[in-house]
Amino acid sequence: MSTPSADTVTKVSTDGATDFVQSFYSALQSNRGTIATFYSQMPSTILFNGNVVADGAAVQDIFVNQLPPTRFEVQSFDCQVINSHYPTPTATGVKTPAQTTVKDMSLLVTVSGYVQFGESRDAPQRGFSETFVLVPNPAASSTGGGAKGKGKKEWLIQSQNFRLVV
């Protein structure tokens, strides 16, 4: 594969971050039973206000069984490519250079906004800041690009740090 241009890398990373933020926060609000599918199977580091959470299934359990209805209002987000040649896993190891695509990169995504806990629209808004490391979803990339429309996420959470700020 030829090296993609800086403009291409910027577009792919920005589009990936945008798609991720829109779908993840939508799931947190109204489709909590799918939250675990946003997480990588690789060992993850997940922190909520300094507390370690084991994995995506544990995050889903918190949202499904422990938290009241939650509304997120994302005010801003940004992304940065961490590794433009991320070693995307395959069934036999990792992708070879000939198999890689421009989406075989890891991303740092920062998000800030407001969250409301509870059903009342009058519940106080709390500020939050969240940082993610996203990695390519091997299941999405192995299907030749048509997977996105079939519900497969192109990026998965490898690391997450959520913090209430006010």
Side-chain angles (χ1 to χ4, degrees):
M1 176 187 157
S2 65
T3 303
S5 70
D7 287 343
T8 300
V9 170
T10 299
K11 177 164 180 27
V12 168
S13 61
T14 302
D15 289 350
T18 301
D19 291 345
F20 169 78
V21 167
Q22 290 172 347
S23 62
F24 183 71
Y25 289 99
S26 176
L28 290 177
Q29 291 180 179
S30 60
N31 201 3
R32 291 176 167 192
T34 66
I35 293 171
T37 66
F38 284 88
Y39 291 84
S40 169
Q41 295 302 314
M42 293 182 271
S44 298
T45 303
I46 304 169
L47 298 172
F48 281 93
N49 284 324
N51 298 302
V52 176
V53 179
D55 56 18
V59 174
Q60 180 172 308
D61 180 66
I62 290 168
F63 275 87
V64 169
N65 297 314
Q66 298 176 32
L67 287 177
T70 309
R71 284 185 301 283
F72 285 89
E73 182 181 322
V74 172
Q75 293 292 306
S76 67
F77 66 93
D78 203 356
C79 68
Q80 176 71 41
V81 175
I82 298 174
N83 182 350
S84 60
H85 301 291
Y86 184 80
T88 304
T90 67
T92 59
V94 295
K95 285 187 177 181
T96 66
Q99 295 171 312
T100 61
T101 70
V102 69
K103 291 182 179 179
D104 288 310
M105 66 175 92
S106 57
L107 304 174
L108 177 72
V109 178
T110 58
V111 181
S112 61
Y114 297 99
V115 60
Q116 285 181 301
F117 298 103
E119 294 190 35
S120 171
R121 293 274 181 202
D122 296 330
Q125 287 187 326
R126 309 257 334 249
F128 77 91
S129 175
E130 194 153 25
T131 304
F132 299 93
V133 174
L134 303 181
V135 296
N137 180 354
S141 63
S142 67
T143 57
K148 185 176 177 186
K150 295 182 178 153
K152 290 193 180 174
K153 295 161 186 65
E154 293 190 32
W155 305 94
L156 298 174
I157 300 167
Q158 185 180 44
S159 179
Q160 176 181 11
N161 190 343
F162 174 90
R163 187 66 76 169
L164 290 170
V165 294
V166 284

